Amino acid sequence: MKKTFLALACASLIPAVSAGFDQTEEVARAKQAVAGFSAALKSELMAAMQSGGALRAIEVCHTRAAEISEEVSLETGMSLFRVSQQNRSPSNVPNDWQTAVLQDFKSRILAGEEAASLSWYAQAETADGPEFRFMKAIPTGGLCLQCHGTQIAPEVADKLSEIYPQDKATGFKPGDLRGAFVVTSRVD
Ligand code: HEC
Protein backbone atom coordinates (compact mmCIF):
# COMPACT_ATOMS: atom_id res chain seq x y z
CA MET A 1 0.00 0.00 0.00
CA LYS A 2 2.73 2.40 1.04
CA LYS A 3 4.81 1.49 -2.00
CA THR A 4 1.88 1.95 -4.37
CA PHE A 5 1.16 5.36 -2.93
CA LEU A 6 4.76 6.46 -3.11
CA ALA A 7 4.88 5.39 -6.73
CA LEU A 8 1.80 7.50 -7.43
CA ALA A 9 3.27 10.45 -5.55
CA CYS A 10 6.50 10.17 -7.51
CA ALA A 11 4.63 10.04 -10.80
CA SER A 12 3.19 13.45 -9.99
CA LEU A 13 6.58 14.90 -9.12
CA ILE A 14 8.16 17.14 -11.67
CA PRO A 15 11.81 18.04 -12.03
CA ALA A 16 12.86 21.18 -10.20
CA VAL A 17 11.94 24.10 -12.45
CA SER A 18 14.04 26.69 -10.79
CA ALA A 19 17.62 26.26 -9.67
CA GLY A 20 16.87 28.57 -6.75
CA PHE A 21 14.06 26.44 -5.33
CA ASP A 22 15.15 24.35 -2.34
CA GLN A 23 12.59 21.75 -1.23
CA THR A 24 14.37 21.09 2.07
CA GLU A 25 14.13 24.75 2.93
CA GLU A 26 10.47 24.86 1.89
CA VAL A 27 9.70 21.82 4.10
CA ALA A 28 11.33 23.62 7.02
CA ARG A 29 9.27 26.75 6.30
CA ALA A 30 6.07 24.69 6.07
CA LYS A 31 6.83 22.95 9.37
CA GLN A 32 7.43 26.33 10.97
CA ALA A 33 4.11 27.68 9.66
CA VAL A 34 2.31 24.61 11.09
CA ALA A 35 4.07 25.01 14.44
CA GLY A 36 3.08 28.69 14.58
CA PHE A 37 -0.56 27.93 13.80
CA SER A 38 -0.73 25.02 16.29
CA ALA A 39 0.84 26.96 19.14
CA ALA A 40 -1.42 29.99 18.64
CA LEU A 41 -4.65 27.99 18.34
CA LYS A 42 -3.79 25.65 21.20
CA SER A 43 -2.99 28.48 23.60
CA GLU A 44 -6.27 30.29 22.81
CA LEU A 45 -8.17 26.98 23.03
CA MET A 46 -6.68 26.13 26.42
CA ALA A 47 -7.28 29.62 27.82
CA ALA A 48 -10.93 29.44 26.73
CA MET A 49 -11.34 25.91 28.16
CA GLN A 50 -9.97 27.13 31.51
CA SER A 51 -12.14 30.23 31.67
CA GLY A 52 -15.39 28.90 30.27
CA GLY A 53 -15.07 25.18 29.54
CA ALA A 54 -15.64 23.41 26.22
CA LEU A 55 -18.78 25.40 25.47
CA ARG A 56 -16.82 28.68 25.43
CA ALA A 57 -13.89 27.06 23.60
CA ILE A 58 -16.12 26.02 20.68
CA GLU A 59 -16.30 29.73 19.78
CA VAL A 60 -12.50 29.91 19.65
CA CYS A 61 -12.29 26.96 17.24
CA HIS A 62 -15.21 28.28 15.24
CA THR A 63 -13.92 31.82 14.72
CA ARG A 64 -10.18 31.81 15.46
CA ALA A 65 -8.99 28.69 13.57
CA ALA A 66 -9.67 30.29 10.18
CA GLU A 67 -8.41 33.72 11.32
CA ILE A 68 -5.15 32.34 12.69
CA SER A 69 -4.52 30.32 9.54
CA GLU A 70 -5.06 33.49 7.49
CA GLU A 71 -2.64 35.40 9.72
CA VAL A 72 0.01 32.67 9.39
CA SER A 73 -0.56 32.48 5.62
CA LEU A 74 -0.04 36.24 5.31
CA GLU A 75 3.09 36.17 7.48
CA THR A 76 4.72 33.25 5.71
CA GLY A 77 3.49 33.69 2.15
CA MET A 78 2.38 30.05 2.24
CA SER A 79 -1.23 28.93 2.27
CA LEU A 80 -2.07 26.96 5.43
CA PHE A 81 -5.28 25.14 6.38
CA ARG A 82 -6.61 21.91 7.94
CA VAL A 83 -8.51 19.05 6.32
CA SER A 84 -10.19 15.89 7.55
CA GLN A 85 -12.13 13.07 5.93
CA GLN A 86 -14.36 13.30 9.01
CA ASN A 87 -14.67 17.06 8.86
CA ARG A 88 -16.59 19.26 11.26
CA SER A 89 -16.50 22.45 9.22
CA PRO A 90 -17.76 22.16 5.64
CA SER A 91 -14.69 24.25 4.62
CA ASN A 92 -12.29 21.49 5.67
CA VAL A 93 -13.09 18.80 3.10
CA PRO A 94 -9.92 17.35 1.52
CA ASN A 95 -9.50 17.37 -2.28
CA ASP A 96 -8.25 14.32 -4.23
CA TRP A 97 -4.50 14.56 -3.56
CA GLN A 98 -5.10 15.49 0.08
CA THR A 99 -7.43 12.46 0.46
CA ALA A 100 -4.73 10.20 -1.03
CA VAL A 101 -2.20 11.49 1.52
CA LEU A 102 -4.68 11.10 4.41
CA GLN A 103 -5.31 7.50 3.30
CA ASP A 104 -1.57 6.87 3.25
CA PHE A 105 -1.23 8.33 6.77
CA LYS A 106 -4.02 5.99 7.93
CA SER A 107 -2.34 2.90 6.55
CA ARG A 108 0.98 3.91 8.09
CA ILE A 109 -0.76 4.29 11.49
CA LEU A 110 -2.35 0.84 11.02
CA ALA A 111 1.14 -0.49 10.26
CA GLY A 112 2.31 0.85 13.64
CA GLU A 113 3.68 4.34 12.95
CA GLU A 114 2.83 7.19 15.35
CA ALA A 115 0.36 9.71 13.90
CA ALA A 116 2.42 12.56 15.39
CA SER A 117 5.45 11.65 13.28
CA LEU A 118 3.79 11.54 9.85
CA SER A 119 4.39 14.12 7.16
CA TRP A 120 4.61 14.21 3.37
CA TYR A 121 5.64 16.63 0.62
CA ALA A 122 5.79 16.84 -3.14
CA GLN A 123 6.02 19.28 -5.98
CA ALA A 124 3.20 19.18 -8.50
CA GLU A 125 2.15 20.89 -11.70
CA THR A 126 -1.10 22.90 -11.50
CA ALA A 127 -3.00 25.20 -13.86
CA ASP A 128 -1.26 28.12 -12.13
CA GLY A 129 2.21 26.62 -12.45
CA PRO A 130 4.32 24.42 -10.19
CA GLU A 131 3.22 24.13 -6.57
CA PHE A 132 4.96 22.88 -3.45
CA ARG A 133 2.72 20.75 -1.22
CA PHE A 134 3.24 19.70 2.39
CA MET A 135 0.99 17.78 4.77
CA LYS A 136 1.41 16.89 8.44
CA ALA A 137 -0.83 14.45 10.32
CA ILE A 138 -2.87 15.75 13.27
CA PRO A 139 -3.27 13.10 15.98
CA THR A 140 -6.17 13.10 18.44
CA GLY A 141 -4.94 13.95 21.94
CA GLY A 142 -6.64 13.89 25.34
CA LEU A 143 -7.53 17.58 25.15
CA CYS A 144 -9.47 17.00 21.94
CA LEU A 145 -11.90 14.39 23.27
CA GLN A 146 -14.35 16.84 24.87
CA CYS A 147 -15.31 17.99 21.38
CA HIS A 148 -14.14 15.14 19.10
CA GLY A 149 -14.39 12.05 21.34
CA THR A 150 -16.98 9.37 21.96
CA GLN A 151 -18.59 10.90 25.07
CA ILE A 152 -19.40 14.55 24.50
CA ALA A 153 -21.31 16.50 27.17
CA PRO A 154 -24.92 17.10 26.03
CA GLU A 155 -24.66 20.92 26.04
CA VAL A 156 -21.45 20.73 23.99
CA ALA A 157 -23.02 18.27 21.55
CA ASP A 158 -26.08 20.55 21.20
CA LYS A 159 -23.93 23.59 20.47
CA LEU A 160 -21.81 21.68 17.94
CA SER A 161 -24.83 20.40 16.04
CA GLU A 162 -26.35 23.89 16.06
CA ILE A 163 -23.24 25.41 14.40
CA TYR A 164 -22.28 22.33 12.34
CA PRO A 165 -25.40 20.39 11.31
CA GLN A 166 -23.21 18.15 9.07
CA ASP A 167 -20.58 17.46 11.79
CA LYS A 168 -18.63 14.22 11.18
CA ALA A 169 -15.80 14.97 13.63
CA THR A 170 -16.81 12.91 16.67
CA GLY A 171 -16.08 9.36 17.83
CA PHE A 172 -12.27 9.75 17.86
CA LYS A 173 -9.97 7.96 20.33
CA PRO A 174 -6.51 9.11 21.51
CA GLY A 175 -3.93 8.41 18.80
CA ASP A 176 -6.48 8.36 15.95
CA LEU A 177 -5.76 10.47 12.89
CA ARG A 178 -7.96 13.58 13.39
CA GLY A 179 -6.91 15.18 10.12
CA ALA A 180 -3.93 16.98 8.65
CA PHE A 181 -2.39 20.38 8.11
CA VAL A 182 -1.96 21.32 4.48
CA VAL A 183 0.59 23.90 3.40
CA THR A 184 1.03 24.94 -0.22
CA SER A 185 3.24 27.51 -1.88
CA ARG A 186 4.12 28.74 -5.35
CA VAL A 187 7.40 27.56 -6.83
CA ASP A 188 9.01 30.55 -8.49
C1 HEC B 1 -13.92 23.10 22.49
C2 HEC B 1 -14.13 22.16 21.42
C3 HEC B 1 -12.96 21.63 20.65
C4 HEC B 1 -11.81 21.07 21.16
C5 HEC B 1 -11.43 20.86 22.61
C6 HEC B 1 -11.03 20.69 20.01
N1 HEC B 1 -11.69 21.00 18.84
FE1 HEC B 1 -11.09 20.61 16.95
N2 HEC B 1 -12.66 21.59 16.21
C7 HEC B 1 -13.65 22.19 16.97
C8 HEC B 1 -14.48 23.00 16.12
C9 HEC B 1 -15.67 23.85 16.56
C10 HEC B 1 -13.97 22.85 14.80
C11 HEC B 1 -14.46 23.52 13.53
C12 HEC B 1 -13.57 24.73 13.26
C13 HEC B 1 -14.02 25.59 12.13
O1 HEC B 1 -15.21 25.96 12.07
O2 HEC B 1 -13.15 25.94 11.30
C14 HEC B 1 -12.83 21.97 14.92
C15 HEC B 1 -12.07 21.59 13.83
C16 HEC B 1 -10.95 20.82 13.91
C17 HEC B 1 -10.14 20.40 12.78
C18 HEC B 1 -10.34 20.80 11.31
C19 HEC B 1 -11.03 19.72 10.54
C20 HEC B 1 -12.52 19.66 10.78
O3 HEC B 1 -12.95 18.63 11.30
O4 HEC B 1 -13.23 20.62 10.44
C21 HEC B 1 -9.12 19.64 13.27
C22 HEC B 1 -8.03 18.97 12.46
C23 HEC B 1 -9.28 19.61 14.70
N3 HEC B 1 -10.40 20.31 15.07
C24 HEC B 1 -8.41 18.98 15.54
C25 HEC B 1 -8.48 19.10 16.94
C26 HEC B 1 -7.45 18.58 17.80
C27 HEC B 1 -6.21 17.81 17.36
C28 HEC B 1 -7.82 18.91 19.08
C29 HEC B 1 -7.06 18.64 20.36
C30 HEC B 1 -5.72 19.17 20.43
C31 HEC B 1 -9.09 19.63 18.99
N4 HEC B 1 -9.44 19.73 17.67
C32 HEC B 1 -9.79 20.10 20.08
C33 HEC B 1 -13.82 22.06 18.33
C34 HEC B 1 -12.87 21.60 19.20
Side-chain angles (χ1 to χ4, degrees), residues 26-177:
E26 207 66 354
V27 169
R29 283 196 342 114
K31 284 188 175 168
Q32 221 172 355
V34 165
F37 172 89
S38 293
L41 184 60
K42 215 173 237 181
S43 80
E44 289 196 28
L45 177 64
M46 283 169 73
M49 295 275 264
Q50 271 158 18
S51 68
L55 212 50
R56 162 79 192 87
I58 289 173
E59 290 301 326
V60 167
C61 295
H62 180 51
T63 56
R64 291 293 291 148
E67 287 172 2
I68 295 171
S69 68
E70 251 170 64
E71 286 161 20
V72 172
S73 299
L74 275 176
E75 271 167 31
T76 59
M78 306 179 101
S79 159
L80 179 144
F81 49 97
R82 298 181 301 172
V83 293
S84 173
Q85 288 176 291
Q86 275 172 269
N87 57 300
R88 171 154 290 160
S89 165
S91 327
N92 297 334
V93 178
N95 67 16
D96 287 352
W97 65 262
Q98 293 154 6
T99 301
V101 176
L102 285 166
Q103 285 296 124
D104 181 59
F105 284 167
K106 274 190 196 162
S107 29
R108 288 165 68 181
I109 292 167
L110 274 178
E113 288 188 60
E114 290 279 326
S117 68
L118 301 177
S119 65
W120 168 96
Y121 68 91
Q123 195 175 306
E125 195 52 67
T126 73
D128 299 326
E131 180 181 72
F132 171 78
R133 298 170 170 174
F134 172 83
M135 280 177 71
K136 185 171 186 345
I138 304 175
T140 308
L143 171 70
C144 324
L145 300 179
Q146 288 192 46
C147 297
H148 294 295
T150 47
Q151 286 170 316
I152 296 175
E155 68 274 17
V156 175
D158 284 351
K159 181 83 182 170
L160 287 173
S161 58
E162 184 192 314
I163 311 179
Y164 306 98
Q166 315 287 334
D167 187 11
K168 299 191 206 106
T170 57
F172 289 88
K173 296 185 296 306
D176 283 349
L177 183 69

